[in-house]
Amino acid sequence: MVEEVSPSDPGGAPLIAANYTYSSITDRIASIVLTRPTTLGWLAGFALSCLLLITLLGAVSYLLLRGVGIWGVNIPIAWGFAIVNFVWWIGIGHAGTLISSILLLLRQQWRTSINRFAEAMTLFAVACAGLFPLLHLGRPWFFYWLVPYPNTMGLWPQFRSPLVWDVFAVGTYLTVSFVFWFVGLIPDLATLRDRATHRWPKIVYGILAMGWRGSAIHWRRYESAYLLLAGLATPLVVSVHTVVSFDFSVGIVPGWHSTIFPPYFVAGAIYSGFAMVATLAIPIRAVYHLQDFITMRHLQNMAKIMLATGMIVAYGYMMELFMAWFSGSLYEAYTMKNRMTGPYAILYWGLILTNILIPQALWFRRVRASVPALFAISLSVNIGMWLERFIIVVTSLHRDFMPSVWRMYSPTIWDWATFAGSIGLFFFLLFLFIRFLPMISISEMRQILPGSHVRSES
Amino acid sequence: MDSKVPRNPSFDLAAIRSRLASENGPRFWRSLEELADSAIFTEYLRHEYPRQASALAEAPDRRQFLRLMAASLALAGIPACSSAPPEKIVPYVIQPENLVPGKPQYFATAMPHTGYGIGLIATSTMGRPTKIDGNPDHPASLGATDIFAQASVLDLYDPDRSKAVTRDGRVSTFDAFLRALSAELESARTNDGAKIRILTETVTSPVLASQIRTVLQKFPKAQWISYEPVSDDNLRAGSQLAFGGYFDTQYRFDKADVILSLDSDFLSAGPARIRITREFSQRRSVTADTSMNRLYVAEPAMTITGAMADHRFPMRRSDIGNIARAVAQRCGVQGIAMPVGAWPWLEAVVADLKRHAGTSLVIAGPSQSPDVHALIHSVNHQLNNTGVTVLQTDPVEENPGDQRASLQSLCEQMRSGSVDVLLILGGNPVYTAPADFDFASGMDKVRFRMHLGLYDDETSQRCHWHIPEAHYLESWGDVRAYDGTASIIQPLINPLYGGKSAAELVSAALGNTLQSGYDITREYWRQQTGDSRFETIWRQAVQKGVVPDTTFQMRTPKLLSNVQIGNPSPPSNEMENVFCPDPTVFDGRFANNGWLQELPKPLSRLTWDNAAGISPRTAESHHLGNGDVIEIDSGGRKLEVPIWISPGHADDSVTLYLGYGRRRAGRVGNDLGTNAYSIRTSNAPWTAAASVRKTGKRWPLASTQLHQSMEDRDNVRTATVAAYSRDSKTVSEKRPAVSKDLSLYPKRGAGDYAWGMSIDLNTCVGCNACVVACQAENNIPIVGKSEVLRGREMHWLRIDTYFRGEPDGPEAFFQPVPCMHCENAPCELVCPVAATTHSSEGLNEMTYNRCVGTRYCSNNCPYKVRRFNFFQYSSYGESTLELLANPEVSVRSRGVMEKCTYCVQRINAAHIEAEKQDRPIRDGEVKTACQVACPANAIVFGDVQNPGSDVARLKAEARNYGLLEELNTRPRTTYLARLSNRNPEIPAEGHHG
Amino acid sequence: MSQTFSRRMNFLSRLTIFGAVFIVSAVALAIIEIVRSPYLTEAGVVRLQPVPFSHKHHVGDIGIDCRYCHSSVERSAFAGIPPTKTCMNCHSQVWSDSPELEPVRASFRNNTSIEWTRVNRLPDFVYFDHSIHLAKGVGCVTCHGQVDAMPLMWREKSLSMEWCLECHRNPARYIRPREQVFAMHWQPPAAPQDFGQKLAATYKILSTEKLTNCSTCHR
């Protein structure tokens, strides 16, 4: 859906404003980290996210003291916010890899200016996601029993359980994303090392740059390694959320037990991923005046991808309803009916509104061209995707097979604190990243300068 | 230490301690090792906060967090590394002969309840009574138990029991009390004890009675008053009216084809309830050779008896008297005017009764007037039931009489200052006495007041002296069953808190040399039996649990010709409130029993509260919803109580349950619910005109089942007897069967045994005995109201209750739901750490110490029988309650899943014994706790792959079906469908009254 | 401008890449070894007792049968620790005034138990039954070692679940004739495995599936 564009191509908006030279690009981006003073906005934002982070620490320590009982979970709704947030964050963590790897392999050069913090965002999102499966355990201190290792109990994990698959899927994803992100950083770290004026930055960036000198050999190896990693990461985009969706589709709970889950979870993940990228990119480019690098072209392409994946998700919802009717299963049918008319109906329709209806506006060129509109829509999608996970987890469980055990789920203050806290953690990391690392790839930006083709072919 | 206790030579705490420590089971009582001596022990008990209660503490303090944390981490440590702090083994100095360390012992004893005995077999684990079961040789038990018997063992260890003799609230000694008392008695000699009063509950104990009579001989003018708040006065008055004397009536439900119950909850009330349930359910278990009985019930609020009815007629309690008159008139009892009233079903019922003359049974509840009881006697006579299904004996009670009247006169005498010495032996009259007596203020005028009781309660608070009473598991004594059969109450442990039994106290008061309950009891029975036969009889009595040939002979009293029956009350529609004993805490005596507080009340499934029952229609007309607080005004006495809309409740009637609103019950029972006694007066102890006002306040009510409609699903499959006999497949083939080998996973090889369970929904009366039995057997914690409100109750076995039909007259169904032990268990596939697995004998095992608490298994369990320790519910290193724990079952820590195990500890024990004797396990050798407790024999457990086993036979029945079997979970627990034996002559809507 | 790092430093950065792999796996291996070492399992650690009771003397030299003191071992899950009375049966005559035995006499005099230190200890959630193991031909020595050579007691085996399973997964290797279970120096005949197989058959030892059910030991 994204048309192949080479920067020299006259058609299509430019990927980078004119009259930029290698050095000016480097100045522009590196200065954010090195020379420019820390802005008040940054400090304020950082302080706020620290506050939330402290909330998280508080909530978690109380959780460890008392037990998961402090949350709203009960029997039958034994999974609550923790799993909702886990799936939500993992989903958000998808755009990074997609942009970095798939678009790279597709030679979509427009990715360059956004891939760096998309990847960073991925890492942080996955880190947040990783918290929840651990915390929601009844005895978190035994989490390592899910990992196969030769123990004195002579036991292995139960490999038929999707939760064990999760450990591998998420673990791999986190590792690969990190390596990919770090490798991509190396040339820029070197740049920072060389341009840094003070001693300590020189040393720190120097260590991280691992002796990069930008020689032809370095570049060749770098390029091939980067491509290799991209190839490695590509299947993960599909695998991770597929496996996560198994957590549900393997269960026999009506509303979970469905083969549509993997594709529609992956689509949903990319959907929310891009929404989050947009949500972050728009303010950042405004604050740091990066409109020249993150151009309307980028935003519009992201909008198109959101529209496409959004439609897949909508299809997923429709198939769920269809199958409920088509299967003739009493329980499936009731679960769907209960979603639409039951005690949680308001959330279901909220989901339809925020996730399906509002994004339809993206069909219009004028909407795609309006930055505030895009920002609003991406926010709505973020909310919608969270609601989707809530609907899947809670409404399926709270009224399943036996009417005698039907119950309601109501989150406690600690549920909310942990959720807010995880957002705090996310932004805490993001702010540090913005401040101390180049949020746009200097080296790659150089490559898309009109004059740089010779180099980029090498 | 009491050397008289046979087969349990030493019970001092040091001994207990050593036994515990030398126990090779789980050592969750490790803390007891600190208990250096009994003094420290009692101290410890006084200060220790019971886990039971701390579960209720809404916000535990910081120290408790730390303790919980420590506990969890300590547990976390165990599997991680095997090095733990060095531990002591403390053997005996001299080991008792017949005690094998690590093996339980069993003793026959009996539990007095409202005076009448239930024969029990108590399990003693290294000197600690840990489990109660029925005594098959006892007429009132037949091997089964009820919730009260099951839960009584918790009372024994209740840390809130009174622990010291107190005078005016200050700790004193028993001797000091005796000195004070003897002084009083001395001065009383002058006037033959005219100012001495002894107040007891209903007494059937020959020993205690003889003791008291001796007192009455010494002091001829002294008086003995018996009072039970839930009394049988109306029964006694009724027999007085009908026969001109006191007679007890017994029933033979196994011989009754047609039963009409007028406001009688015979399945859960009365001293013969367990036996009656057994006999009644015999006639409900439909196999080829038995025919099913038919039950008509007319009652105001639905009871479990009403729920079992084939035709139930909800009606205001005050209207039931007219039904009795109408039935009597139709049955040809002389001199009865036919009351006005439209009962479309009446003729059909009477016809049915007449058709089965001699094999029918009409019974009325203790809350019905003496007139009604007199009428019922005549009706049964007319129907030739007398002598067949209805029998009379002399009263079993030692002090029969009008309890209410005698208590009233006592109050007047006290108020007029003509009582100097009041000895209250058990009971809690200050709390339970009729409100208009104002017992408390009267009692304050008595110069010397003594209260003997398990708890330092409302009454002891207003007495000069309080003496801790010995629990029945702590003291020797005797008690008679409903039919007069006497049992020896045999203790399993020395009094934990130095309590005295009533007989011991009286004997000491008399200055007898015989002071110990053991001597007193033996001495009495020696006199009864004569020295020659005594020892043999005694040994037999103590072993079997019943004293031979003490059962009362049947009597055939003549009906008086001129029975004077009052006129029928004109039909009215004014609001009335009726009183019932609470289904779980009874008259309030079990208020501090956490098991019974958290036990869901039948039908409403409420816990921790006594909401008032009210019919849907009445609720609608008063714009009331569940939890709305109403103010009941009964003759100027006002009571605020939350309501619970009860399907099948009579209109214009409010049911108040006694036993709540205690102020001095203990940390568990204090300030729960509302005190219905406060508006219960002597002239209207069961029914009173009342007005109801909505207050606008609301009160949270913790029900364990929020949804009681089956939602066009067939969890409980039903059929009418007619349809069933036409086509027995009508139940089993309701759903297309799923192919048995429909599974992705390789088939399992057959093990040596295939354990399975069959539950007969047609005989299950929903009495809850199984639930408490399970709790006692498997160390299941209670969680408190706040947690129940959040849906976190821990019962492994729950009794789902469904209603069908119009809300004002629905059918009700009970369905006990333990773990189904599915052969294709969904929970097993999703556990990431293999903490729940399938055993080679088909058990779905739960390994607590491997569980990390993902709770995925619970999500994937379609039956939702799994329970999760959201907090540290079970006690760790705390309180006497740990003495109660069953060492054969791990105590679960915070953060792990648990569920029904089919009592795997019992299966393993049987396995080991059989293996050692090199033989297979016999059918019926393994009985689950719920099965043993069940008075209806509704639960049968065994090896389903042995065609000869009972369970296999039942599963072959056409009524057999699996819950949600269309999911192909292939449950090992299956059900026998519920049948109803409706009278074709009664129109379908007839059963709405 | 001058470089912060010399070219030689690149060696370090390479090292970190390999280090990441090798160091981590080395640590993992170390942990795996440590948790099985006596340091944690306490196998072979001698326990001091209030009375220096020597199994070597009583079993090895005098030849008292295990069951004389551990009387419930054939009937109950718990082998049984002898009550003081059992000691006094002999020691009221023999060594009746030896100072070592004073604690025993004291215990008997004042009716206070001797507090022995536990040597073989399983976690609370493990339900081990001595009687059935004996009935199936598992000798005392198999788990408790040559107690007739132990002056003071120590735990012979790790008692870890792994160790239990070794036998539960293949009992034939470890069982002996029933009449030999209390023997201290029984040697299996040649071809122990087949011999064991035969015994297992005659003693109707349960299938490995049953023996490795979780509920066999945990409930």
Side-chain angles (χ1 to χ4, degrees), chain A residues 71 161 247 252 331 400 404, chain B residues 713 792 800 830 856 860 966:
Chain A
W71 289 347
S161 169
D247 290 352
I252 66 170
Y331 309 109
D400 61 355
S404 56
Chain B
R713 305 175 184 193
R792 295 171 178 178
D800 285 348
V830 296
Y856 199 169
N860 217 32
E966 66 270 24

Side-chain angles (χ1 to χ4, degrees), chain A residues 62-80 82 136-146 151-153 155-164 246-253 256 330-331 334-335 337 397 399-408 412, chain B residues 60 65-66 68-69 72 75-76 79-80 703-707 709-713 715 735 745 788-793 798 800 802 817 826 828-834 848-856 858-864 866-868 870-871 893-896 963-964 966-967:
Chain A
Y62 187 56
L63 175 77
L64 293 177
L65 283 173
R66 289 297 315 282
V68 284
I70 66 169
W71 289 347
V73 283
N74 59 21
I75 306 291
I77 307 109
W79 283 356
H136 106 293
L137 291 181
R139 303 198 290 173
W141 46 90
F142 287 139
F143 73 93
Y144 58 87
W145 284 355
L146 273 74
N151 53 35
T152 54
M153 292 172 280
L155 284 179
W156 295 106
Q158 206 274 102
F159 287 107
R160 293 177 302 177
S161 169
L163 294 183
V164 176
F246 288 160
D247 290 352
F248 302 103
S249 49
V250 164
I252 66 170
V253 180
W256 288 8
L330 178 68
Y331 309 109
Y334 182 86
T335 304
K337 176 163 151 287
L397 286 173
R399 289 185 176 178
D400 61 355
F401 296 98
M402 298 263 286
S404 56
V405 295
W406 289 0
R407 272 196 177 276
M408 295 296 290
T412 64
Chain B
F65 296 165
L66 299 180
L68 293 172
M69 191 59 181
S72 325
L75 187 101
S703 171
T704 59
Q705 186 179 348
L706 307 180
H707 204 89
S709 142
M710 241 180 291
E711 298 289 327
D712 62 35
R713 305 175 184 193
N715 298 0
R735 283 272 171 82
Y745 293 102
V788 175
L789 276 168
R790 289 156 120 181
R792 295 171 178 178
E793 65 276 3
R798 63 171 196 265
D800 285 348
Y802 297 105
V817 184
E828 290 165 7
L829 304 183
V830 296
C831 174
V833 291
Y848 315 117
N849 43 299
R850 175 68 176 172
C851 177
V852 297
T854 67
R855 306 188 292 289
Y856 199 169
S858 171
N859 288 347
N860 217 32
C861 172
Y863 310 96
K864 293 288 177 285
R866 293 178 157 266
R867 296 286 175 254
F868 188 70
F870 288 92
F871 290 120
S893 83
R894 154 196 154 192
V896 307
L963 192 52
L964 298 175
E966 66 270 24
L967 299 178

